[in-house]
Amino acid sequence: MEVVLAIAGKVGEYTVAPIGRQLGYLFCYGSNLNELRKKAEKLEEAKESVQHSVDAARNNGREIERGVLNWLVRVDEISAQVKNFQGDARHARAGCTNLYCPNLWSRHQLSRRAKKMAANVVEIQGEKNFDKISYLPAPKWIDTAPTPADYEAYESRAKILNEIMEALKDPDLDMIGLYGLGGVGKTTLLEDIVRKAEKDNLFDVVVMTTVTQTQEVYKIQKEIAEMLGMKLGEDSEIIRASRLHDRLKQEKNVLVMLDDLWERVDLSKIGIPFGSEHRGSKIGIPFGSEHKGCKLLLTSRDQEVLTNKMDAKKSFLLGVLPEEEAWVLFKQMAGLENLKENSEFLSTTTEVAKMCAGLPIALVTVGRALRNKSLSEWRDALLQLKTPTCRDISGMEEVVDSSIKLSYDYLKSEELKNTFLLCAMHMGYNLHFTDLLKYSVGLGLFSGIYTIKAARDRLNTLIGKLKAKCLLLGSDSNDRLTMHDVVRDVAISMASRLQHAFVKRYEKLYAWPEEERLRICTTISLRESDIGRLPEGIDCPSLKLFYLGNKESNSSPIPDSFFQGMRGLKVVNLTEMSFSHLPSSITLLKNLQTLCLDFCVVEDIDVIGELKNLKVLSLISSDIKQLPYALGHLTQLQMLDLHNCSKLELIPSNIISNFKRLEVLNMKNSFSGWEGEEANSKGINTSLMELNNLHDLNTLIIWIRDPSVMSGDFLFNKLERYKILIGDVWNWSGKHKTSRCLKLKLNINFHLVQGVKRLLGRVEDLHLDELSSVENVLYELDGEGFPSLKHLLIQNNVEIECIVKSTNPEFIHAFPILESLVIHNLIKLEKICIGQLSVRSFGKLQEIKLKSCHKLKNVFAFSMVKSLSRSLLKIEVSECNVMQEIVILGREENCNDNIDSQNLGFHQLQSLTLQNLPSLISFYSDEKTPHMKNETDWHMTLFSEKV
């Protein structure tokens, strides 16, 4: 019975309860709909609250959490479902009315759906409790460039951009530098690098901050942190650095760009992991895997900051825009894109653009300032640009000039600042280093410096610093300096204000400055300016330097009394002037240290002898025919420059020997009538023996046409810089820029001229013609192997049989830094090298030329090829009648080395010329031609061009 009752209970449980639930849907239809309405309203209220928080977060630039966004979507979906449900037409038939009985099926279904939908609404509302609504994302890059965004459209910029991008891809380069003049566009280029790096997915994270000269560590840390999406509290500097360090190490591949460095930046102090410290540091990434770590891209105005202080492995110079690109940018900034070629605006606007000299900041500033301006305003702007001391173009002073002034202010020594201003005041199209040296010595610019040698070293150091800071530019010649036009103009303006300088360049002088200004003036420089008639005198008691270069008006005389009010002068330069005699008032300049009369037509210079304190006398390209005896009184003279005085024929004896302190004697393309020892007794031209009395002489440039006047006692003990031509076959031309050059043709026994032999150990550029009693160049001329020689030319010799004859390759390195070897018309030359060479011998040779060596059968022995394989770029062999092969691989040298046919060859060779070689058989003497780069092309060239 109990079992039956239990079974009956279970049957009731599984039948009655569900039936009751289903009947409940019918009876509770109204309450279920009402409950759904209430739940839906509460959900809408909750959504509205969340939406307010979302809107507030977005207004603050924050990103919304994905879970919040998904929840809002679900709310919208369920709300739409509820709304559709409430509008269902079946509700009209499901309710009870006086006219109709309810449709029980519809009532049941709608009530049941309302119940379930209310449960869903409650479930969704229960998911509302979020940990946070929003987060602060890492900042995205915003283009703030003042120049057109499409920087790659400028070819010069696209080139350096691509070079930097390639460097960033190089796994061996952790730190890269970019340097250039202020306002040249370094920051703009960085911004373009960011865009390109993001486009190419080169880095996971790119951050950038500006350092400036103040190096505010907290500001730098904060900017980097914000770009990483993190907050730095007000913790100590060390704690902030540690947090930033750990955060950056979480990134697999990150680029950190530090803009505008002025000094070394301590990366650890900021919290930037660098190099091996970062690689492999991310959790789960083993050291040495593909984890690239942190790369740094730095910018500065000073190359030394990048390479010396930050140890950047590679740095790029960003120069000014080429003229065509500058014009494109200027037209865009000035709104001149539709300017017609025949427009009267064209010539003026073009000139204004040229005055900006390709400097982007100047092009942008001036272009925008003159946008939509009238022709008269353009003309006025051009006049202002041509007059640096009175520029007032809108924004020019504030933006362009201040940028250059900042670079000037940051020069750390007065010597550096004064050198910079001196360069600017005397910069024509370029400035010779030697001219700058003469001015510096005369002005006593360098504290504690008393010799030309020390002054040259100091000036070289300062010039190097100015070049590194992009305030000076190099040129094709080491002796010529240039300066950006805008930099020069700003510097002249600063010199006018700071040093009371009066500078005119290529313009008409309408009036001299007021008397009060002249009294405090320290420099007057009038270069190629129309000055009219000079006054009888001007009162300039503070004047230290006077420069007058007046080619167009060089017939205008200088009044005798002109220098009477300038008794403090230390430097006088009168260039391209014409005198019958120098003004007598020049004798009043008792403090005068430097006198330059370059390119002058002057008949009488005797008065110079009264300038007893003169240290530098320069007569370059003047038309003097003889040096007056009076110059013998210049016992303090340290530099005498007679360069290109082609008419100078007489230097009386006992004048040069009086220059006891002389360090520099330059007689290039000048006097060459040196006499022998007997000259001193006969009172004719000076002799070479007088040079032996100049114990401080360290720089000598002379031509001794007749070697017979040279004595065995002739000494060159202290020469450090020289260009000496001996013999009658030479000229002054030469393509190599070296400090020590010697050209020799000696028809006397070479071994008797000991003074010349002393020069060979340090010579850098050596030319040899006829040499008596020399068969082996290396051991008979310099037993040390010519350790300093870079260029060697040997010609027209009937005795030399070999260049090198080695008996012990370990004893000496032959020509270890030689770069070029030219051999012409050596009648008896049979071998360039006899015997084995040390590994370093000829190790830097890049070019070899052979012509008319009719006993020479081959050029390179096997031992030479090993030395040359990584350096030789050019081979030229012509008119050698018995030349059979270029490289001999036989065993006649008795060498024990095994020939490696896979590695033997000239791997860097770029040019091969073989001409008029009637006996040539092959390039190699060995039957098994070793592997060589582009070997097929070379042999095709060889046999198709052989005559």
Side-chain angles (χ1 to χ4, degrees):
M1 188 65 180
E2 291 179 359
V3 174
V4 173
L5 291 175
I7 293 173
K10 283 294 181 182
V11 171
E13 181 182 344
Y14 286 106
T15 57
V16 176
I19 292 172
R21 195 163 50 247
Q22 300 304 320
L23 291 174
Y25 290 140
L26 291 173
F27 295 115
C28 298
Y29 167 77
S31 60
N32 285 345
L33 260 62
N34 190 47
E35 187 69 15
L36 175 60
R37 178 182 57 78
K38 291 179 181 180
K39 301 291 185 185
E41 287 176 356
K42 286 185 178 181
L43 182 60
E44 281 297 321
E45 291 172 1
K47 177 201 170 185
E48 189 173 331
S49 175
V50 171
Q51 188 64 54
H52 289 161
S53 299
V54 167
D55 293 342
R58 282 176 171 161
N59 289 338
N60 287 317
R62 300 177 69 87
E63 294 285 348
I64 309 305
E65 294 287 350
R66 184 181 298 177
V68 175
L69 295 175
N70 290 339
W71 183 82
L72 289 173
V73 170
R74 291 186 65 192
V75 170
D76 289 340
E77 289 175 349
I78 195 67
S79 296
Q81 291 174 14
V82 170
K83 186 177 181 180
N84 290 336
F85 173 74
Q86 291 173 337
D88 194 327
R90 290 179 298 168
H91 285 296
R93 298 192 300 272
C96 297
T97 67
N98 295 327
L99 299 176
Y100 303 102
C101 291
N103 184 321
L104 296 180
W105 174 253
S106 294
R107 185 182 181 90
H108 173 271
Q109 291 297 310
L110 292 172
S111 179
R112 183 171 179 267
R113 186 177 176 192
K115 184 79 172 178
K116 291 185 176 181
M117 195 173 288
N120 289 340
V121 169
V122 171
E123 180 184 353
I124 292 173
Q125 185 166 354
E127 297 172 356
K128 172 182 169 289
N129 298 322
F130 308 111
D131 293 334
K132 58 179 181 177
I133 297 291
S134 63
Y135 64 93
L136 190 65
K140 294 183 179 179
W141 193 257
I142 300 174
D143 184 9
T144 59
T147 52
D150 191 10
Y151 209 37
E152 294 182 73
Y154 297 87
E155 184 177 348
S156 64
R157 270 34 185 173
K159 181 176 182 294
I160 194 169
L161 172 64
N162 291 331
E163 289 175 353
I164 292 175
M165 296 306 296
E166 288 303 313
L168 289 173
K169 296 174 184 177
D170 190 336
D172 296 325
L173 295 176
D174 290 324
M175 186 182 293
I176 301 162
L178 174 67
Y179 69 100
L181 182 66
V184 81
K186 299 183 294 297
T187 302
T188 303
L189 185 57
L190 281 194
E191 293 168 349
D192 227 45
I193 289 170
V194 172
R195 288 188 291 270
K196 191 166 181 62
E198 290 182 346
K199 178 182 177 182
D200 296 346
N201 294 319
L202 192 57
F203 296 94
D204 298 326
V205 175
V206 178
V207 297
M208 175 177 170
T209 184
T210 303
V211 178
T212 75
Q213 55 280 43
T214 58
Q215 283 200 22
E216 298 178 39
V217 174
Y218 177 70
K219 170 183 168 292
I220 296 170
Q221 290 174 328
K222 185 173 180 290
E223 288 182 357
I224 294 176
E226 287 176 348
M227 297 191 79
L228 291 169
M230 67 179 290
K231 280 188 176 182
L232 286 179
E234 300 299 327
D235 303 313
S236 69
E237 184 180 284
I238 295 176
I239 298 300
R240 292 195 306 269
S242 177
R243 290 184 59 207
L244 190 59
H245 180 274
D246 292 342
R247 173 65 181 84
L248 283 169
K249 288 177 70 175
Q250 293 176 13
E251 299 296 338
K252 178 180 178 181
N253 189 14
V254 58
L255 173 63
V256 176
M257 300 193 297
L258 302 180
D259 191 21
D260 198 20
L261 272 67
W262 293 77
E263 283 293 345
R264 183 181 179 276
V265 174
D266 189 340
L267 299 177
S268 62
K269 189 176 181 180
I270 295 172
I272 300 175
F274 175 65
S276 59
E277 180 187 3
H278 191 179
R279 297 190 193 98
S281 58
K282 190 175 179 182
I283 297 174
I285 300 177
F287 186 85
S289 70
E290 293 184 358
H291 183 219
K292 299 177 182 178
C294 182
K295 283 207 173 193
L296 266 71
L297 177 57
L298 318 174
T299 78
S300 178
R301 301 183 184 193
D302 189 346
Q303 185 187 19
E304 289 185 348
V305 170
L306 302 176
T307 56
N308 297 344
K309 297 183 179 181
M310 294 302 297
D311 296 323
K313 301 304 180 187
K314 193 167 188 176
S315 59
F316 298 87
L317 171 63
L318 183 62
V320 298
L321 290 171
E323 187 172 327
E324 290 184 3
E325 294 179 8
W327 176 236
V328 171
L329 175 58
F330 186 77
K331 285 196 300 182
Q332 185 175 351
M333 294 298 104
L336 302 175
E337 294 95 332
N338 299 319
L339 184 66
K340 297 179 180 178
E341 290 196 8
N342 60 352
S343 168
E344 58 181 330
F345 265 67
L346 183 60
S347 61
T348 304
T349 54
T350 303
E351 277 195 76
V352 170
K354 287 181 179 178
M355 291 299 296
C356 296
L359 188 65
I361 193 172
L363 293 162
V364 171
T365 303
V366 175
R368 286 177 174 170
L370 294 173
R371 196 179 185 95
N372 300 321
K373 299 298 183 182
S374 65
L375 179 59
S376 61
E377 289 173 298
W378 276 89
R379 287 173 178 164
D380 182 59
L382 179 59
L383 180 62
Q384 291 182 48
L385 288 170
K386 289 182 176 180
T387 312
T389 55
C390 60
R391 262 193 319 225
D392 192 31
I393 301 175
S394 175
M396 188 73 172
E397 166 73 23
E398 181 181 354
V399 179
V400 182
D401 292 13
S402 61
S403 174
I404 295 167
K405 288 174 184 174
L406 183 61
S407 292
Y408 170 83
D409 291 338
Y410 211 76
L411 298 177
K412 292 189 174 180
S413 72
E414 289 301 313
E415 284 184 352
L416 199 55
K417 289 180 178 180
N418 290 332
T419 302
F420 170 62
L421 296 181
L422 187 64
C423 288
M425 289 188 286
H426 298 282
M427 186 69 65
Y429 296 108
N430 53 60
L431 174 66
H432 285 267
F433 175 89
T434 49
D435 288 340
L436 192 60
L437 177 63
K438 294 168 187 176
Y439 302 152
S440 302
V441 170
L443 292 170
L445 203 62
F446 311 134
S447 176
I449 297 295
Y450 305 105
T451 66
I452 300 294
K453 176 184 175 183
R456 178 185 285 111
D457 291 341
R458 178 68 59 82
L459 186 58
N460 263 319
T461 299
L462 296 173
I463 291 300
K465 289 181 180 295
L466 290 174
K467 284 184 177 180
K469 298 176 190 302
C470 300
L471 293 175
L472 265 184
L473 306 174
S475 68
D476 294 336
S477 170
N478 293 332
D479 192 43
R480 295 176 185 267
L481 306 169
T482 60
M483 184 179 286
H484 190 278
D485 292 352
V486 174
V487 175
R488 181 203 61 226
D489 290 346
V490 174
I492 290 175
S493 176
M494 295 171 64
S496 175
R497 186 179 70 257
L498 300 175
Q499 299 184 350
H500 309 292
F502 179 59
V503 180
K504 290 288 182 181
R505 304 174 64 257
Y506 312 107
E507 57 184 308
K508 183 177 179 62
L509 178 63
Y510 291 98
W512 287 82
E514 300 83 2
E515 183 177 340
E516 185 177 334
R517 183 182 174 191
L518 284 174
R519 288 190 60 80
I520 61 173
C521 191
T522 61
T523 297
I524 294 178
S525 179
L526 306 172
R527 179 180 294 274
E528 298 295 339
S529 296
D530 183 2
I531 61 174
R533 189 176 183 85
L534 288 169
E536 290 296 320
I538 51 178
D539 187 18
C540 299
S542 302
L543 196 64
K544 302 300 180 187
L545 188 151
F546 180 80
Y547 179 99
L548 178 59
N550 197 20
K551 184 176 181 180
E552 298 300 323
S553 304
N554 60 7
S555 59
S556 177
I558 299 179
D560 276 343
S561 59
F562 183 72
F563 292 109
Q564 194 164 0
M566 314 178 195
R567 302 194 184 198
L569 272 173
K570 290 187 172 184
V571 176
V572 171
N573 188 333
L574 305 175
T575 295
E576 295 183 304
M577 303 291 291
S578 183
F579 315 93
S580 59
H581 63 276
L582 292 174
S584 58
S585 58
I586 201 170
T587 61
L588 301 174
L589 308 180
K590 301 303 182 183
N591 294 318
L592 194 65
Q593 308 283 297
T594 294
L595 176 61
C596 301
L597 301 174
D598 300 339
F599 300 92
C600 284
V601 178
V602 56
E603 298 176 11
D604 181 5
I605 60 171
D606 282 23
V607 70
I608 296 176
E610 298 186 38
L611 304 173
K612 302 294 178 59
N613 291 315
L614 203 62
K615 293 181 179 179
V616 177
L617 177 59
S618 180
L619 300 168
I620 296 174
S621 296
S622 68
D623 71 339
I624 57 172
K625 295 181 176 59
Q626 70 175 64
L627 294 186
Y629 285 99
L631 293 192
H633 299 303
L634 303 180
T635 56
Q636 301 301 308
L637 200 65
Q638 294 177 291
M639 177 188 288
L640 178 59
D641 196 342
L642 302 172
H643 174 202
N644 209 34
C645 293
S646 56
K647 296 182 179 180
L648 181 60
E649 296 178 351
L650 177 61
I651 301 179
S653 59
N654 299 320
I655 290 181
I656 290 181
S657 58
N658 281 344
F659 303 148
K660 302 295 185 182
R661 297 186 59 192
L662 196 69
E663 296 181 51
V664 179
L665 177 59
N666 186 348
M667 305 183 80
K668 180 179 179 180
N669 195 31
S670 182
F671 176 80
S672 60
W674 300 94
E675 299 285 352
E677 292 184 63
E678 69 279 3
N680 291 333
S681 59
K682 295 181 181 179
I684 54 176
N685 258 336
T686 185
S687 76
L688 288 171
M689 291 303 297
E690 290 194 47
L691 299 181
N692 282 345
N693 295 324
L694 309 181
H695 301 296
D696 294 328
L697 190 68
N698 57 63
T699 301
L700 179 62
I701 303 176
I702 60 170
W703 189 352
I704 306 168
R705 289 180 178 271
D706 183 3
S708 66
V709 304
M710 300 178 65
S711 165
D713 296 328
F714 181 45
L715 304 177
F716 294 111
N717 289 334
K718 293 186 177 181
L719 289 186
E720 297 181 4
R721 301 164 57 86
Y722 53 84
K723 187 167 187 177
I724 300 174
L725 280 58
I726 301 176
D728 58 1
V729 298
W730 306 112
N731 57 53
W732 289 103
S733 64
K735 65 177 182 177
H736 305 300
K737 301 296 181 182
T738 59
S739 298
R740 296 181 289 275
C741 175
L742 185 60
K743 298 184 179 183
L744 290 178
K745 178 186 178 184
L746 293 176
N747 50 19
I748 60 174
N749 192 323
F750 172 80
H751 301 287
L752 297 178
V753 190
Q754 295 300 316
V756 173
K757 290 197 70 174
R758 290 188 184 93
L759 298 177
L760 292 172
R762 299 188 62 207
V763 68
E764 296 174 336
D765 187 3
L766 179 60
H767 296 219
L768 301 175
D769 198 274
E770 179 182 342
L771 289 180
S772 180
S773 305
V774 175
E775 296 180 0
N776 179 345
V777 172
L778 182 66
Y779 288 102
E780 295 188 47
L781 297 188
D782 180 56
E784 299 299 319
F786 289 94
S788 300
L789 190 62
K790 296 181 179 180
H791 309 285
L792 175 59
L793 180 150
I794 311 175
Q795 65 183 24
N796 305 328
N797 193 286
V798 297
E799 297 188 34
I800 293 178
E801 297 177 355
C802 69
I803 308 302
V804 180
K805 186 175 183 180
S806 174
T807 56
N808 185 352
E810 302 301 323
F811 179 69
I812 197 169
H813 302 298
F815 305 105
I817 64 171
L818 190 70
E819 296 175 8
S820 67
L821 174 61
V822 178
I823 301 174
H824 178 214
N825 196 29
L826 267 58
I827 306 301
K828 296 181 67 176
L829 183 71
E830 296 183 2
K831 295 277 187 181
I832 292 178
C833 175
I834 297 177
Q836 286 183 261
L837 298 177
S838 68
V839 176
R840 288 179 53 193
S841 297
F842 292 99
K844 302 293 183 181
L845 190 65
Q846 299 177 15
E847 176 182 0
I848 183 168
K849 293 183 179 181
L850 295 147
K851 184 177 180 180
S852 300
C853 298
H854 298 307
K855 283 197 172 184
L856 192 64
K857 294 183 178 180
N858 52 68
V859 181
F860 304 108
F862 170 60
S863 59
M864 287 188 70
V865 175
K866 290 188 296 180
S867 299
L868 298 172
S869 62
R870 299 298 177 186
S871 63
L872 196 63
L873 303 176
K874 183 176 182 179
I875 300 173
E876 186 174 311
V877 185
S878 63
E879 300 179 20
C880 296
N881 292 340
V882 299
M883 181 70 63
Q884 296 180 357
E885 62 268 323
I886 304 303
V887 179
I888 181 171
L889 301 176
R891 294 301 180 187
E892 57 186 87
E893 299 175 83
N894 297 319
C895 61
N896 296 320
D897 298 302
N898 294 320
I899 298 177
D900 185 350
S901 62
Q902 293 301 311
N903 294 316
L904 180 62
F906 306 113
H907 303 291
Q908 304 300 320
L909 195 63
Q910 298 175 0
S911 174
L912 173 63
T913 302
L914 305 176
Q915 192 171 12
N916 293 326
L917 305 175
S919 302
L920 190 66
I921 299 173
S922 68
F923 196 89
Y924 297 96
S925 64
D926 196 62
E927 292 182 358
K928 296 182 179 179
T929 302
H931 171 75
M932 292 184 67
K933 183 180 179 181
N934 296 330
E935 173 191 299
T936 305
D937 294 338
W938 289 1
H939 278 282
M940 288 176 62
T941 303
L942 169 69
F943 291 113
S944 64
E945 293 185 2
K946 189 182 77 170
V947 178

